[in-house]
Amino acid sequence: MAKLFGTAPEPTGELQQAIEKFLGKKIKVTWVPNAEYTEKMNVTLASDSIPQVVVVDPKMPAFVKSAQAGAFWDLTDKLDKYPNLKPADERTALNASINGKTYGLYRMRPLLRSAIVIRKDWLEKVGLKEPTTIDEFYEVAKAFTEKDPDGNGKKDTYGLIIPKWPSSSYASASPYDVVETWFGAPTGWGERDGKVVPGFSTPEFIEANKFLKKMVDEGLVNPDFATLDTAKWNEPFFHGRGGMIIDVNIRSRQVLDLFRENGDKNYGDKVTMVGNLARSDGKKFSYPFSGYADALAISKQSVRTEAELDNVLKTLDKLATKEGQVLLQNGIEGRNFKVDNGDTATLINVDDPAVRTVQDNVDDAFTQLSTKGTMDIGGIAYQRIPPFQPYRDIIDKQKKLVEEDLKTAVHNVALPVVAPTQVEKGPQIDKIIGDARVKFLSGAIDEAGLKAEIQKWYDGGGTQIVTEINDLLAKLPK
């Protein structure tokens, strides 16, 4: 069972047939629309008909309960003999585990993707260089707001664009989370005085949000930051209302696309990107990610014996080869794409409806079964970018920024564990922090009110979560 982001592929479709030919066996996939996936997963986990393999968030409370109750295979000591399933990164494997036990094959993502996308032409107009510190970032935001970077003679621009974040949970890779890490707060959870604590309990969290509130109060942030739809996040940047976005680095290519597709011949001069920023004291803390997005878990209901498990793992191992990942993420070479420069997939035959179906099947469905990165953010399949120099330049810059920022990444130390009280109460009380943060930035509550909300989290079960997380971390293999 896997997520679907469009029309479900036909079982007799060209791409599925190519995958089955590659595997030497038939496959049956239950595609579930993404918007319904969590509900469907909850129903499936409670049923007696769990498919052989499910794509699932390994930290999903219902999955955690099922896995710990024995509904899924513990793969912790079973992957070494499968050359393409052995974890490529031990930290990520631990991050995707449940208290150190592996219940699924994690779907690889880069450990570091945070960046700031900036209007390059605006920087030149206000006479500033790319920021490397928080102080310089503030100066750029101020200049973008006050120095008429679009040259229309009106004070109608702002420095930073922030959307209403889809998840109100704390530590969900929002721009707020990234800035808090820059100030030295833990990314999610970190160690203070020998104990692991949530980042929002630290002075650096408060300091970072006071900085952001100052930017909001001075008009350096879009005024609709609490309501702007994330689907429209690029629009202020493209239409010349805002100059900077803190997000994942691939957003740089999205905005390049907008300028290029609009016929701007100088689109490469509109976009630049920098990595994480240093504090005023010169110390730098970079915001990392978990290194995975979902996992492929194997049901004990449908895969009952060690021999059957071996058969399923051999199939997944073959899918995890380069040839398998190319089929899942790029499609059929020579049919819907060709390889340029040995590393880039360029779409071909795009006006052929049958080929368009192959491409849609890749993008809407089969890429969800991939485990070795993706074609847009890096992996063993071919990257898919337009074959133009500005894209190659931004990719080169992205690689250098990631390499540099990984040196100062502040990893969430609590990712490998799941506290029982977190499963029971986490989804409810986690919203307390996210909501309080937006209320503080908008002026609905003051600093005392923000701290009162943090205490509310502790009183609502957080104190027990902190104790359980420390206990579970102490039991992990050293």
Side-chain angles (χ1 to χ4, degrees):
M1 188 169 87
K3 295 176 181 174
L4 178 69
F5 289 83
T7 302
E10 291 291 336
T12 55
E14 194 173 345
L15 180 58
Q16 179 151 337
Q17 287 187 352
I19 293 170
E20 290 175 343
K21 182 179 179 182
F22 168 70
L23 292 175
K25 62 174 63 174
K26 292 285 186 181
I27 59 172
K28 179 181 178 182
V29 185
T30 301
W31 301 106
V32 180
N34 181 54
E36 304 166 14
Y37 202 75
T38 299
E39 182 181 353
K40 176 69 173 178
M41 181 60 70
N42 280 319
V43 171
T44 301
L45 292 174
S47 73
D48 58 359
S49 57
I50 302 176
Q52 287 186 321
V53 180
V54 296
V55 179
V56 63
D57 175 359
K59 309 294 181 172
M60 179 184 178
F63 176 74
V64 171
K65 290 180 181 176
S66 295
Q68 292 183 321
F72 289 88
W73 284 93
D74 179 354
L75 305 176
T76 310
D77 300 318
K78 297 184 181 299
L79 300 180
D80 282 353
K81 68 176 182 177
Y82 304 95
N84 302 296
L85 299 184
K86 185 178 179 180
D89 181 81
E90 291 299 329
R91 176 185 291 279
T92 302
L94 195 59
N95 286 347
S97 75
I98 300 174
N99 302 334
K101 290 190 175 182
T102 299
Y103 288 102
L105 308 171
Y106 70 80
R107 301 182 64 236
M108 186 181 80
R109 294 291 183 274
L111 262 174
L112 202 141
R113 302 161 62 192
S114 49
I116 311 171
V117 182
I118 306 175
R119 281 289 298 249
K120 185 178 180 181
D121 53 333
W122 283 21
L123 271 181
E124 292 175 358
K125 284 183 179 176
V126 300
L128 292 174
K129 64 182 180 64
E130 295 178 354
T132 59
T133 69
I134 297 172
D135 293 340
E136 291 174 354
F137 169 76
Y138 172 81
E139 292 303 321
V140 171
K142 195 172 181 64
F144 281 1
T145 305
E146 298 178 350
K147 293 189 175 180
D148 192 24
D150 61 347
N152 68 354
K154 301 177 182 177
K155 191 172 184 294
D156 57 358
T157 56
Y158 37 82
L160 180 62
I161 311 163
I162 298 177
K164 177 184 180 182
W165 204 243
S167 169
S168 59
S169 296
Y170 171 68
S172 56
S174 71
Y176 313 118
D177 297 306
V178 176
V179 173
E180 289 156 10
T181 294
W182 292 349
F183 272 81
T187 302
W189 291 74
E191 189 171 327
R192 291 290 189 274
D193 301 322
K195 183 178 179 181
V196 172
V197 299
F200 53 75
S201 70
T202 64
E204 293 90 343
F205 172 87
I206 300 294
E207 187 182 357
N209 280 285
K210 287 167 73 173
F211 168 78
L212 284 168
K213 179 164 174 50
K214 173 182 166 68
M215 291 186 67
V216 170
D217 290 346
E218 293 179 358
L220 311 190
V221 178
N222 53 305
D224 58 348
F225 73 93
T227 58
L228 176 64
D229 189 337
T230 50
K232 298 179 179 178
W233 198 356
N234 293 334
E235 291 184 8
F237 189 96
F238 172 62
H239 291 299
R241 297 194 296 273
M244 292 190 285
I245 293 175
I246 302 170
D247 192 31
V248 291
N249 44 30
I250 60 169
R251 187 165 293 278
S252 61
R253 278 171 272 166
Q254 292 179 14
V255 290
L256 274 177
D257 286 343
L258 290 175
F259 288 112
R260 180 177 62 83
E261 291 167 1
N262 194 47
D264 188 334
K265 295 181 180 178
N266 299 315
Y267 65 94
D269 296 333
K270 297 291 195 301
V271 182
T272 189
M273 180 170 61
V274 300
N276 287 266
L277 304 176
R279 289 193 314 203
S280 299
D281 61 3
K283 292 183 179 179
K284 182 177 174 182
F285 308 97
S286 297
Y287 186 92
F289 287 69
S290 64
Y292 72 94
D294 292 336
L296 275 61
I298 303 173
S299 161
K300 278 190 167 179
Q301 273 185 9
S302 305
V303 182
R304 295 181 177 277
T305 67
E306 291 277 355
E308 291 175 359
L309 176 63
D310 180 60
N311 189 35
V312 172
L313 288 172
K314 283 178 177 173
T315 299
L316 294 174
D317 186 65
K318 192 166 185 179
L319 270 181
T321 61
K322 177 157 186 171
E323 190 175 356
Q325 296 294 293
V326 167
L327 275 169
L328 295 174
Q329 298 178 45
N330 296 124
I332 305 171
E333 185 173 351
R335 180 66 170 147
N336 70 304
F337 79 95
K338 67 174 183 176
V339 179
D340 283 324
N341 302 311
D343 63 357
T344 303
T346 301
L347 303 187
I348 58 175
N349 303 321
V350 293
D351 295 327
D352 184 332
V355 173
R356 188 63 243 172
T357 297
V358 172
Q359 188 61 53
D360 288 346
N361 286 176
V362 170
D363 294 340
D364 295 345
F366 280 101
T367 192
Q368 296 301 312
L369 300 179
S370 65
T371 52
K372 301 292 184 181
T374 71
M375 48 72 196
D376 58 350
I377 58 176
I380 65 175
Y382 301 113
Q383 290 204 59
R384 193 172 78 200
I385 59 171
F388 306 118
Q389 193 58 43
Y391 290 89
R392 293 202 163 276
D393 291 343
I394 210 81
I395 288 284
D396 289 343
K397 188 164 193 175
Q398 174 182 314
K399 289 177 180 176
K400 291 174 183 173
L401 292 173
V402 168
E403 184 178 349
E404 185 62 27
D405 283 355
L406 275 173
K407 298 174 185 174
T408 52
V410 181
H411 296 284
N412 184 343
V413 301
L415 281 178
V417 299
V418 181
T421 304
Q422 201 171 23
V423 173
E424 181 185 351
K425 297 182 177 179
Q428 290 77 42
I429 65 172
D430 277 356
K431 294 178 181 176
I432 294 173
I433 304 303
D435 290 347
R437 185 163 50 187
V438 173
K439 288 178 183 175
F440 174 71
L441 296 177
S442 62
I445 59 175
D446 58 13
E447 182 177 340
L450 176 60
K451 290 179 178 177
E453 290 297 299
I454 292 172
Q455 186 58 48
K456 187 176 173 183
W457 180 87
Y458 277 100
D459 295 341
T463 300
Q464 184 63 23
I465 290 175
V466 173
T467 299
E468 291 172 359
I469 282 181
N470 278 273
D471 290 345
L472 289 167
L473 286 171
K475 295 174 183 175
L476 287 179
K478 303 300 180 186

